[in-house]
Every structure is written in C-alpha cells, then in structure tokens.
Amino acid sequence: MTVRVPFAALTLALCLATHVAADDKKNETDLKSMVGNWTVEKAELGGRDSTAVFKTLKFEIRAGGKYTVELGEKDEGAFTVNASKSPKEMDIVSDQGPNKGKTIEAIYKLDGDALTVCYNLDPKKPARPEKFESPANSKTFLVTYKRAKK
C-alpha cells in the first residue's frame, strides 16, 4: 500500500523542522555567549534601586545552562532560554539553596558583555515579566550584569 503525502504537507513539515533547528541554534548561541562570571552593574527590586545590596553577588554561568549564585547563601541550578521570543525568555530551576525546587520565569537581553534579566520572584503570581521594568511594590527583580574581567 502506497501512502501519498500531499506536497503542501511535506513542505510545511520541512519548514517547521528548519524553523525549530534555527530556534535551537539561537538558543545554543545565547547559552554559549552567557558562559562566564558576572557582576551586578545595576539592580532594582520592586521599583527601588537595590544595586548596593547586590554588589557583592557572585554569579557564574557554566556550559549547558548551569549556574551558581552566591550572596550569603549559595544557589545552584540550571536554566533554559528561548531566544526566538521577543523579549527573549528564560526559565530558571534551582537544584540547591534557598530557591531549591522553584522555577523562576524571566526575560533577558544579551548585548556583548552586558546581560539584563528581569525575574518574577512572586510565587503567588507566577507570570513571566513582559517588559524590562520593576514596578513599585512588585516582586520583580531587574538586574544588569556585566561580564567580570579575567
């Protein structure tokens, strides 16, 4: 028995596969570009400048979307990115530390040696931020990291 696949369906399947491969390539490129040690350049939490509080934060991104953050306590885990979205999306899952077992939704932009991430830290209102802003009285953390010099 011969099965005939309509040409339009075959073309659509090939286009989708190509699109998915391009998205995977964008994600992989961003993840590789993030590898390194980062310092806080500017931070806002709930609409307030919190840069001084986070200046001693140590942040390392390793290959494969692994991270370590130290600010008093150590938090480690993994994250995934979706570079095809606008703004680009990030999902962070902590394996150990104060956020163990939590998933934090964020958006990010990467511009050379600057990485800006806007995190939703409100477990009662899990929703990804839509803009790079930290509204007053919110649990939205907006931070710009700068790649640490070697």
Side-chain angles (χ1 to χ4, degrees):
M1 176 177 186
T2 303
V3 177
R4 294 181 186 228
V5 177
F7 181 73
L10 182 59
T11 302
L12 178 61
L14 288 171
C15 287
L16 288 173
T18 302
H19 182 72
V20 168
D23 288 350
D24 287 347
K25 181 83 169 158
K26 286 180 191 176
N27 295 344
E28 184 179 318
T29 298
D30 273 11
L31 285 171
K32 283 182 180 179
S33 297
M34 291 179 192
V35 170
N37 291 302
W38 299 85
T39 60
V40 172
E41 185 170 83
K42 181 174 171 51
E44 282 183 44
L45 181 60
R48 294 184 179 202
D49 185 345
S50 303
T51 305
V53 175
F54 293 98
K55 271 296 187 187
T56 60
L57 182 136
K58 294 179 182 177
F59 181 35
E60 179 188 11
I61 297 177
R62 298 181 306 280
K66 304 287 184 191
Y67 75 89
T68 301
V69 174
E70 288 186 59
L71 185 66
E73 295 183 75
K74 185 186 250 186
D75 183 81
E76 289 188 306
F79 67 97
T80 57
V81 298
N82 187 342
S84 65
K85 296 284 186 166
S86 182
K88 296 177 179 184
E89 297 178 349
M90 179 183 287
D91 290 322
I92 304 136
V93 179
S94 177
D95 295 334
Q96 77 174 45
N99 293 310
K100 183 177 180 176
K102 294 179 184 174
T103 298
I104 298 171
E105 295 180 326
I107 55 175
Y108 75 96
K109 57 185 170 184
L110 183 61
D111 185 15
D113 287 336
L115 172 63
T116 303
V117 184
C118 189
Y119 306 86
N120 173 16
L121 301 179
D122 191 345
K124 294 180 182 175
K125 296 179 184 176
R128 188 178 314 283
E130 294 177 5
K131 299 177 184 176
F132 291 95
E133 63 184 21
S134 178
N137 302 314
S138 71
K139 292 187 178 179
T140 305
F141 183 46
L142 175 61
V143 61
T144 299
Y145 302 100
K146 186 173 182 171
R147 190 178 307 274
K149 294 178 183 172
K150 294 180 181 182

